[in-house]
Amino acid sequence: MDEKLSLSAQKFLDVLQSQMLRVEKMKSVQQFTDYETLDRLIIGVCGGDGIGPIITAEAQRVLEYLLADEVKAGKVEFRVIDGLTIENRIACGKAIPDDVLAALKECHVILKGPTTTPDAGYTGPNIESANVAMRRELDLFANVRPVKVPEQGIDWTFFRENTEGSYAVGSCGFDVDDEITVDFTITTTEGSRRIAELAYDFAKKNGKTNVAVVTKANVVKATDGKFLRICQEVGKNYPEIKTESWYADIVTAKLVDEKRRKDFQVFILPNLYGDIITDEAAEFQGGVGTAGSMNLGRRYAMFEAIHGSAPRMVAEGRGQYADPCSMLRAAALLLSHIGRRDKAAKLERALDICMFEEKKLTITGRDTGATCEEFGNYLMETIAKL
C-alpha cells in the first residue's frame, strides 16, 4: 500500500509542478495581437481528419473568395498545414506532432477541421485530444460560441474556459490500484480572471446586461467555488451588468424553458460544463453541424466546427456530402475577429439565406442532397448578390 501511495503522490506532484509552470507562462503574455499592425496576416488551414479536410477546404475556398484582393496584394496568406490526422498523431505518439505545432505557431489565426480522439476503449497509444493540446500549447483560453434564433428570442454567447477544469490534464489520470482511479480538475486565479474579463468586456461592448456564471459550486466547492468567486469579483467592475450564479444542471433545464431562456445573454462556464451545455444550445439553431466557434488567446486564435470528424461518413464514401456550414460559421467568426467585419456580415447573411430562407440546396449527408462543393458554390453566388 505504501508503494502505491508513494507513486500516486509523485504523479500528483508532477501535475502540480506542470500547472505552476503553466500559470507563470500565462502571466508572461498580457497583450492581445493587434491585427491592424501586421504587414501580412497568416491564416493557417489545418484540416484534421475524417470529414475535416473536406469541410475545411470548402471554408478556405470561401474565405479566399472574400479576401481575394488582400491575398493578391500580399496582405493575407493562407498556409495549409497537414499532419493532424489520427494516423499521423498515433505514429508520432503525440496529440500534435512537433512539425505541425511549429507550423501552427508561425500563423496568426488558424482555421481547424475536426480531429478524431481515441476513447477509453481504444487499445492503441493513449493519444490526448488534439483540441485540448492545441488550446493548451497556444494558450487559447476562451472558447466563444454564439447561438442565435431570433424568432425564439434566443441571442446567447457562451464563454467557455478552455485550458483548465476537468480537461486541463485529461491524459494524466491514473489507476491507484484495481479499486481506485483518479483524475484531476484544475482551477487557477489567472485562468478564471482572464475568461471572466473577456466575457464582461464583450458584454459591455455589445450592450448586454446579463451575465450568467455556470458552476456546481454547491458541490464542487474548491475549484468551482473559486471560479464563481473570481467571476463575481470581476463582475463588480461592471455595475451596469447583472451577474447571476447558476448551477450547471438547472441552467441546462432552463435553456429549454421558453419563457426563462429569453433572459439569458452571456454565459461564463468552466471547461466541462461549457462543452456539454454549448452542444445543447446549438440544437436550438439546427444542431452542432450549424455552429462554429472561436478559441481565443492573447497571441493566437483558432476557429473550428463544434462537431466531430464523422469517420463513418468517410468510410461509407459519403464524405463529399458533409455539411460545411459549421466551418463556414467559424470562418465568419474568423473574419470578424481579424477586423473584416463587413465581410463577416456578408458571409453570415449569405449563410442565413442559403440555410434557412431560400434553401435552394439542402445538405443531407447523403447523395439525396447537395455536395459540400455545390453548397459552397451556392453560397458564393449568394454573396455576390449582396
Side-chain angles (χ1 to χ4, degrees), residues 297-310:
R298 289 175 173 143
R299 183 173 179 183
Y300 300 102
M302 182 264 282
F303 302 81
E304 63 178 343
I306 70 171
H307 58 71
S309 58

Side-chain angles (χ1 to χ4, degrees), residues 253-266:
K254 290 303 179 183
L255 290 186
V256 299
D257 182 331
E258 292 184 3
K259 294 182 179 179
R260 186 66 183 87
R261 70 188 182 202
K262 296 177 182 179
D263 297 333
F264 293 115
Q265 296 178 348
V266 177

Side-chain angles (χ1 to χ4, degrees), residues 56-272:
T56 306
E58 198 59 37
Q60 178 186 350
R61 191 165 72 99
V62 173
L63 281 174
E64 288 176 335
Y65 171 75
L66 285 162
L67 297 171
D69 291 343
E70 293 185 78
V71 172
K72 185 177 180 181
K75 294 181 179 180
V76 173
E77 176 188 344
F78 285 87
R79 290 186 185 176
V80 176
I81 302 170
D82 295 319
L84 205 59
T85 64
I86 185 62
E87 294 83 5
N88 191 45
R89 290 160 53 217
I90 288 175
C92 295
K94 293 188 175 182
I96 305 177
D98 293 341
D99 59 333
V100 175
L101 182 59
L104 290 170
K105 289 183 175 181
E106 293 177 356
C107 304
H108 299 105
V109 295
I110 299 155
L111 185 69
K112 178 195 159 293
T115 51
T116 302
T117 302
D119 61 24
Y122 179 69
T123 57
N126 180 22
I127 301 297
E128 183 184 24
S129 161
N131 278 0
V132 171
M134 191 177 297
R135 291 164 183 165
R136 182 182 64 246
E137 293 293 339
L138 303 183
D139 201 20
L140 305 173
F141 66 87
N143 181 253
V144 185
R145 297 183 178 182
V147 173
K148 293 184 181 181
V149 189
E151 63 270 21
Q152 296 184 31
I154 293 173
D155 186 359
W156 303 327
T157 306
F158 295 85
F159 284 78
R160 167 192 169 195
E161 203 294 316
N162 228 5
T163 58
E164 302 194 348
S166 303
Y167 292 9
V169 285
S171 61
C172 295
F174 59 91
D175 296 322
V176 176
D177 54 26
D178 290 341
E179 299 295 331
I180 300 174
T181 298
V182 176
D183 269 311
F184 301 98
T185 296
I186 305 294
T187 298
T188 70
T189 298
E190 179 71 13
S192 301
R193 181 176 291 121
R194 63 184 184 176
I195 187 70
E197 289 174 346
L198 193 66
Y200 277 100
D201 185 59
F202 168 87
K204 181 177 181 180
K205 288 179 178 177
N206 289 274
K208 307 296 183 181
T209 57
N210 181 282
V211 169
V213 183
V214 181
T215 66
K216 281 293 291 182
N218 58 329
V219 177
V220 188
K221 296 183 183 295
T223 50
D224 278 23
K226 183 185 190 73
F227 188 88
L228 173 60
R229 184 174 65 254
I230 291 173
C231 288
Q232 290 173 330
E233 289 173 0
V234 172
K236 291 177 182 178
N237 299 323
Y238 299 83
E240 72 279 14
I241 298 173
K242 181 181 180 180
T243 299
E244 296 183 330
S245 171
W246 284 87
Y247 298 137
D249 47 356
I250 192 62
V251 82
T252 303
K254 290 303 179 183
L255 290 186
V256 299
D257 182 331
E258 292 184 3
K259 294 182 179 179
R260 186 66 183 87
R261 70 188 182 202
K262 296 177 182 179
D263 297 333
F264 293 115
Q265 296 178 348
V266 177
F267 299 80
I268 312 175
L269 315 92
N271 211 334
L272 175 60

Side-chain angles (χ1 to χ4, degrees), residues 282-283 285-292 306-307 323 325-326 329 355-356:
E283 286 297 311
Q285 67 177 21
V288 294
T290 68
I306 70 171
H307 58 71
D323 189 341
C325 290
S326 55
R329 292 287 182 187
M355 293 172 66
F356 307 123

